[in-house]
Amino acid sequence: MQVTETRNEGLKRELKVVVGADELENQLVDRLNELKGQVRLRGFRPGKVPVAHLRKVYGRSVMAEVVQKAVDETSQQALTEREEQPAYQPEISLTEDEKEIEQVMEGKADLAFTMAFEVVPPFDIADLSGLKLEKPVAEVGDDQIADALQRIAQQYRDFAPRDAKEKAEDGDRVTIDFVGRIDGEAFEGGSAEDVPLELGSNSFIPGFEEQLVGAKAGEEREVKVTFPADYGAEHLAGKDAVFAVTVKEVAAPQEGEPDDEFAKKLGMDSLDALKERIREQIASEHEGASKAKMKRQLLDRLDEMHTFDLPEKLVDGEFEQIWHALTHEMEHEGKSFEDEGTTEEEARKEYRAIAERRVRLGLVLGRIGEEAGVTIGDEELQGALIERARQFPGQERQVFDYYRNNPQAMMELRGPLFEQKAVDTIIEKADVTETPVSREELFADPDEEAEAEKSKAKKAAAKKPAAKKASKAKADDGGKDEGEAKAKPAAKAEAKTASKTAKKPAAKKTAAKGKADTASKD
């Protein structure tokens, strides 16, 4: 094997690898000899088939196997000998000249291919020994428990049948049979019997429940609706449908204060025990939000403390995923960049910064995790797979099969687990100070807060002389130039907490969607 470096620019490398024809020939003969005792050919006793005959029958297919094996082994050997760590799987390119390929397959020419890749950038982990973090902590108030208890009571309240002459009101529960049709044809999943439906719960297609208000037990109604454009089943999305509905019962809600008997219906010993369980659940929600905010704070610190060149292909891949999610959501919502008060060019720059941040943090956390000896066990990976499957009710088996047959997908499950362990390792050694906050502050969206502060800053800057604007931008961002100051809030959007962005434009909220706490994919 002969290896020649043809490119060395920054993190980019390109190697030309040549495997001699004689070496391929030796491997071909070795492989044919292995097959000699395995194949069964008419006219030959087992193990007695001449190698020359095997070569005539199987030579081409075996040579293809030999070439593939040679590429795999020599490419890995080249990396090992050079002591280089690729940031991703190297791109292997063989000649496209059919004559040259034919010469290699016939054993008359050397095998030559190129390897293109980027190396993991050299960088040092910053000193984290004096790292200080604030953990926002909110107490669980009695009013929160009372509110939660009322919601549970509302959800599990009893219903009593109305008189046959009474009409259904908003808030009543109707029991119905229905058959749905599109263009006169019944469709799969559009029919059911004895379905309980609480009017006003918005659990059915928009417009369905409203058309049952005023119905009586035994009445038949024709309900006309249009499936939402973003409906989960694509073959129904945006379609007009007509449902033939039979109202079998109308029941009115029975109001009452939660008591011990109500708690026992939910499997608890008493009302006090139910309240304690609610307190524990709310406390768990608070703890999760606290950890998410502290993690974001940590990621911000790590991002500020580390600056190094990034593998361009990794950034490109991350950006494409973010951009695809953004444009897909905007398309579904029928929005443009102008609607969001920006341009495509500005949005690309903003989300490119997010992609760079994610890749940088992924590399930093990967190094920290490796140095700390972080590992992911089979049980942990299996737990992550089960959680993923639960996100697709009714399709659990397909999800399991997909991940078990796709090693790369399993690696994507491993990434967040590894990252979280690395984060936990840092936090365990950090100086953490608990800061009391309200529940509203704990669950406040940091990106909306940043946008609000940015808006205030703009208004304040507009009232000051133009000469002072640039200096204020630098002061607000630790002396960085104005362009960096504008990009910073956008980069932070990647690590947003679990709270929803209710009022934020699509162009701002999509980047972090589904990536709330994750800095890297693998």
Side-chain angles (χ1 to χ4, degrees):
M1 177 185 73
Q2 180 181 352
V3 180
T4 305
E5 184 177 74
T6 57
R7 185 179 186 183
N8 188 330
E9 300 174 3
L11 302 178
K12 295 183 178 181
R13 303 287 185 273
E14 187 172 293
L15 308 177
K16 181 178 180 180
V17 181
V18 178
V19 182
D22 55 343
E23 186 174 345
L24 292 177
E25 174 67 17
N26 291 335
Q27 292 184 31
L28 174 65
V29 173
D30 289 343
R31 180 61 180 140
L32 290 174
N33 279 318
E34 288 179 13
L35 292 175
K36 185 176 181 180
Q38 301 173 10
V39 300
R40 298 290 184 270
L41 292 178
R42 182 177 298 179
F44 296 95
R45 287 180 296 167
K48 299 298 182 178
V49 183
V51 172
H53 189 70
L54 286 176
R55 183 168 194 156
K56 181 179 180 181
V57 177
Y58 299 112
R60 190 173 185 84
S61 61
V62 173
M63 179 58 90
E65 178 185 328
V66 167
V67 168
Q68 183 61 57
K69 182 180 179 183
V71 170
D72 294 340
E73 292 181 349
T74 56
S75 59
Q76 185 58 50
Q77 183 182 345
L79 295 174
T80 301
E81 291 178 354
R82 291 171 58 86
E83 298 183 344
E84 289 183 320
Q85 183 182 359
Y88 47 82
Q89 191 69 25
E91 296 178 347
I92 305 295
S93 299
L94 283 79
T95 180
E96 295 183 0
D97 188 301
E98 293 184 4
K99 291 183 179 180
E100 291 183 23
I101 295 174
E102 191 63 31
Q103 289 288 307
V104 172
M105 296 301 291
E106 292 178 0
K108 299 178 181 178
D110 297 340
L111 168 66
F113 64 91
T114 59
M115 298 172 55
F117 58 95
E118 291 174 272
V119 297
V120 173
F123 63 92
D124 296 320
I125 297 297
D127 183 8
L128 304 176
S129 59
L131 184 64
K132 295 183 178 181
L133 299 172
E134 290 186 6
K135 180 181 180 180
V137 179
E139 293 185 358
V140 180
D142 292 338
D143 56 336
Q144 296 174 40
I145 297 174
D147 289 343
L149 187 59
Q150 285 300 320
R151 288 195 297 271
I152 294 173
Q154 183 78 6
Q155 182 179 357
Y156 291 97
R157 61 185 174 176
D158 292 326
F159 288 82
R162 285 187 180 274
D163 185 272
K165 297 181 180 180
E166 290 187 271
K167 297 179 179 180
E169 300 178 2
D170 199 35
D172 284 356
R173 185 186 68 194
V174 295
T175 301
I176 60 175
D177 295 344
F178 59 83
V179 177
R181 292 182 173 84
I182 294 178
D183 296 330
E185 296 291 333
F187 56 90
E188 184 179 356
S191 303
E193 296 180 351
D194 296 322
V195 177
L197 172 61
E198 187 174 333
L199 302 182
S201 64
N202 297 319
S203 54
F204 270 40
I205 305 168
F208 190 101
E209 297 170 26
E210 293 86 340
Q211 297 180 57
L212 295 180
V213 173
K216 300 177 183 179
E219 184 177 341
E220 295 182 357
R221 286 202 171 188
E222 189 178 78
V223 175
K224 297 180 180 181
V225 295
T226 300
F227 282 93
D230 58 352
Y231 193 68
E234 293 185 5
H235 67 289
L236 299 177
K239 297 290 184 63
D240 293 329
V242 178
F243 286 85
V245 180
T246 300
V247 180
K248 303 177 78 171
E249 181 186 73
V250 177
Q254 304 299 294
E255 302 298 339
E257 288 297 320
D259 54 18
D260 288 341
E261 288 301 315
F262 173 76
K264 289 178 181 178
K265 289 181 181 179
L266 300 181
M268 306 301 295
D269 294 334
S270 64
L271 182 61
D272 287 341
L274 176 58
K275 288 181 178 179
E276 184 58 31
R277 176 63 63 83
I278 293 173
R279 182 183 295 276
E280 292 173 357
Q281 290 178 341
I282 295 176
S284 178
E285 292 175 4
H286 284 193
E287 179 66 13
S290 294
K291 287 182 176 180
K293 286 211 165 182
M294 187 163 59
K295 178 176 179 178
R296 171 171 178 150
Q297 185 185 154
L298 171 61
L299 294 179
D300 287 345
R301 297 281 182 82
L302 292 176
D303 191 40
E304 294 167 358
M305 297 167 73
H306 297 87
T307 302
F308 50 85
D309 292 337
L310 301 174
E312 187 177 320
K313 188 174 179 179
L314 288 186
V315 176
D316 289 342
E318 195 65 46
F319 171 78
E320 288 303 323
Q321 289 189 36
I322 296 172
W323 190 255
H324 175 75
L326 167 69
T327 53
H328 181 71
E329 180 172 329
M330 291 181 66
E331 182 179 342
H332 268 285
E333 295 183 356
K335 293 185 177 180
S336 66
F337 291 104
E338 290 183 359
D339 295 331
E340 306 304 335
T342 186
T343 64
E344 180 174 344
E345 182 180 357
E346 291 174 346
R348 282 183 175 275
K349 181 178 179 181
E350 184 177 12
Y351 289 109
R352 182 79 182 184
I354 294 173
E356 291 174 352
R357 170 188 164 98
R358 286 176 56 80
V359 171
R360 184 182 303 108
L361 289 174
L363 292 170
V364 169
L365 290 173
R367 175 76 63 80
I368 292 174
E370 288 174 2
E371 293 180 356
V374 170
T375 58
I376 304 300
D378 292 339
E379 290 185 5
E380 294 173 290
L381 201 57
Q382 184 68 13
L385 178 55
I386 292 173
E387 285 300 314
R388 179 61 58 87
R390 285 175 178 170
Q391 298 174 14
F392 301 89
Q395 303 178 52
E396 291 86 353
R397 174 52 55 192
Q398 293 95 313
V399 173
F400 276 106
D401 290 342
Y402 170 75
Y403 278 95
R404 286 171 175 167
N405 296 326
N406 191 332
Q408 183 59 40
M410 287 298 288
M411 287 296 293
E412 291 179 1
L413 286 181
R414 178 185 177 277
L417 295 176
F418 185 93
E419 176 187 292
Q420 185 58 53
K421 278 194 171 184
V423 167
D424 292 341
T425 298
I426 302 171
I427 291 178
E428 286 175 4
K429 299 178 181 179
D431 181 4
V432 179
T433 302
E434 293 189 351
T435 304
V437 297
S438 67
R439 177 180 171 85
E440 289 71 23
E441 291 174 315
L442 181 62
F443 286 96
D445 189 325
D447 293 316
E448 289 189 348
E449 292 176 341
E451 288 297 322
E453 289 298 321
K454 190 175 179 181
S455 178
K456 289 181 182 179
K458 283 184 177 180
K459 290 179 180 179
K463 298 178 181 179
K464 295 183 179 182
K468 294 185 179 181
K469 288 184 180 179
S471 61
K472 185 174 189 303
K474 290 184 179 181
D476 288 344
D477 200 47
K480 295 181 180 180
D481 64 50
E482 190 173 4
E484 290 176 325
K486 289 180 179 179
K488 190 174 180 181
K492 289 185 178 180
E494 167 274 327
K496 66 180 294 185
T497 61
S499 55
K500 302 273 186 166
T501 310
K503 300 180 180 179
K504 205 162 194 183
K508 298 289 183 183
K509 69 182 180 183
T510 309
K513 197 169 185 180
K515 304 176 182 179
D517 301 304
T518 308
S520 65
K521 284 285 183 184
D522 47 38

